Amino acid sequence: MPTPHPGTPVRGSTTGRPIMAAMDLFGRRWALRVLWELRAGPLGARALLARCEGMSSSVLYQRLRELMASGIIAPSADGYELTPLGAALSPALRSFHEWANTWAQAQEADALKEPLTQSGGG
Amino acid sequence: MPTPHPGTPVRGSTTGRPIMAAMDLFGRRWALRVLWELRAGPLGARALLARCEGMSSSVLYQRLRELMASGIIAPSADGYELTPLGAALSPALRSFHEWANTWAQAQEADALKEPLTQSGGG
DNA sequence: GAGATTGTTTCGAAATTCGAAACACACCCG
DNA sequence: CGGGTGTGTTTCGAATTTCGAAACAATCTC
């Protein structure tokens, strides 16, 4: 399970197109979440574990290694922090966040339209 | 492994914050990739399998079920297609794509700075 | 130097994904 | 109608990934 790099074949694509390498990297459990938690500033390993309920430390360190190898995060005095490259992901994460809110609204709308789980919807 | 929904506890968060549900959903292998492949228009299951080298059909159908349950994709006459909600992910995917290109450039720059794997860099 | 806090690794168990094969259904050709 | 071909989908054992809990190391406090 090598860390994907742009320009190198990855799982899902032999071409090494950067977007494919990125999707291999971020399609791993907790990878996006770790970046999300680091967006506001550095955090230590145990702080990250505390914020990501259910993440096991073995996976955290696996992800940290991968993200460091990718140049997205780096160790700092206060734990781990986004590098400039990692910070460049912020627009994408923000866009993601906005979409998630749209999603939530759509689900609420659906719930109103389909009160089928209750007998006497009103 | 229930399909995550905004407003409902998911792996990694009991709060059900939409962004957490989204990260649970998209942090599964091939999920982002399937959306990426569908961004330009509908594709059938076998076409998706062909585009995603190495994806097994069992996982494809698992992801398709989850994405349908989430209202992100829907069956169409030509296979599967993004719903309006799914299409709303395009800005995020595009932003992601741009970042991946930045990443690739950063890696090229690094390669020039550290010709340590060759004895007589030049 | 004992206790508390954080960083990190280890390892068996559980969950996920792979990989290949099979079944079902429609379509086309003769 | 009978046989190929192409697509959609499910199944199941093997391989990989993640979980979960524990342990060890290093730092800081008192």
Side-chain angles (χ1 to χ4, degrees), chain A residues 3 61 63-75 80 83:
Chain A
T3 300
Y61 283 100
R63 292 295 162 271
L64 290 175
R65 274 193 294 273
E66 294 163 359
L67 293 172
M68 284 189 286
S70 301
I72 294 171
I73 67 174
Y80 297 89
T83 62

Side-chain angles (χ1 to χ4, degrees), chain A residues 10-31:
Chain A
V10 296
R11 298 186 297 182
S13 168
T14 57
T15 66
R17 271 184 294 163
I19 182 68
M20 298 303 165
M23 286 186 179
D24 185 3
L25 184 59
F26 297 131
R28 298 176 183 190
R29 194 133 167 58
W30 298 110

Side-chain angles (χ1 to χ4, degrees), chain B residues 2 16 18 36 39 47 51 65 86 88-89 92-93 98 107-108 122:
Chain B
W36 179 256
R39 76 195 182 288
R51 281 158 187 258
R65 274 192 296 274
L89 269 166
L93 288 177
E98 285 168 20
Q107 299 286 288
E108 285 169 28

Side-chain angles (χ1 to χ4, degrees), chain B:
Chain B
M1 169 246 256
T3 300
H5 289 284
T8 299
V10 296
R11 298 186 297 183
S13 169
T14 57
T15 66
R17 270 184 295 165
I19 183 68
M20 297 304 166
M23 285 185 180
D24 184 4
L25 184 59
F26 297 131
R28 298 176 182 190
R29 195 132 165 58
W30 298 110
L32 285 171
R33 178 64 177 276
V34 166
L35 296 176
W36 179 256
E37 296 298 342
L38 290 177
R39 76 195 182 288
L43 285 176
R46 274 179 129 106
L48 280 169
L49 279 171
R51 281 158 187 258
C52 303
E53 334 158 28
M55 176 173 55
S56 98
S57 58
S58 45
V59 174
L60 171 60
Y61 283 100
Q62 183 70 39
R63 294 294 161 270
L64 290 175
R65 274 192 296 274
E66 293 163 359
L67 293 171
M68 284 190 285
S70 301
I72 294 171
I73 67 174
S76 83
D78 300 313
Y80 296 89
E81 67 184 356
L82 297 179
T83 62
L85 179 61
L89 269 166
S90 291
L93 288 177
R94 201 160 29 243
S95 186
F96 212 44
H97 188 199
E98 285 168 20
W99 175 86
N101 289 328
T102 301
W103 182 31
Q105 288 168 15
Q107 299 286 288
E108 285 169 28
D110 284 356
L112 290 178
K113 282 186 205 160
E114 301 180 29
L116 301 175
T117 54
Q118 299 293 331
S119 53

